Amino acid sequence: MTSTPDSTVKVLIETIGEAAALRMMDAKNFGGMTVEFPKKEVGRGEQAFARIAEVIGHENAKRLSIQFGGERLYIPNLHNHFIAKRNKRIVASYNNGTSIAELVKEYEISDRWIREILKTTDMNKELQVSLF
């Protein structure tokens, strides 16, 4: 599959969600690597499937196998960039009246971390909420 990092990020988020996409793009996992996605969870690609499932969960690994089975896909290492964009979206949502409890559920991070993001992010800056 020929793709750009931007399009890969969007497809990963659409397929497995933001939290799992971030884990995939972490350099400790698959960020910066080309991954050959197995077609099935058993057989020839069993070890690859198990490694992917270890990082993003079994159901998400199955979704990726359905979407990309048999293909090689470059997984960008966008962790820091993506986290900064996510934090800006959190601040924008909070400024627009979303509660911390709602943000915890939406972003799957703790209320303590949400508060830390709100403390350390310039909440008065004009926010651009696009992926790139």
Side-chain angles (χ1 to χ4, degrees), residues 2 10-11 17 40 48 52 56 61 68 75 78 99 105 107 129:
T2 304
K10 289 176 186 176
V11 171
K40 300 177 186 174
I52 294 167
I56 61 171
F68 301 112
I75 307 298
L78 298 176
S99 72
K105 289 178 185 174
Y107 290 95
V129 187

Side-chain angles (χ1 to χ4, degrees), residues 51-111:
R51 173 69 178 115
I52 294 167
E54 179 183 315
V55 172
I56 61 171
H58 188 82
E59 289 303 313
N60 284 330
K62 282 172 55 175
R63 287 184 189 105
L64 289 179
S65 287
I66 291 167
Q67 180 81 18
F68 301 112
E71 296 182 32
R72 295 173 56 84
L73 182 69
Y74 175 75
I75 307 298
N77 182 4
L78 298 176
H79 188 76
N80 291 337
H81 176 77
F82 198 68
I83 291 293
K85 293 294 185 180
R86 180 207 63 190
N87 291 353
K88 287 180 181 181
R89 289 194 312 274
I90 288 171
V91 170
S93 292
Y94 182 78
N95 285 342
N96 288 324
T98 305
S99 72
I100 289 176
E102 292 170 315
L103 292 169
V104 165
K105 289 178 185 174
E106 181 178 347
Y107 290 95
E108 299 177 359
I109 57 178
S110 71
D111 61 341

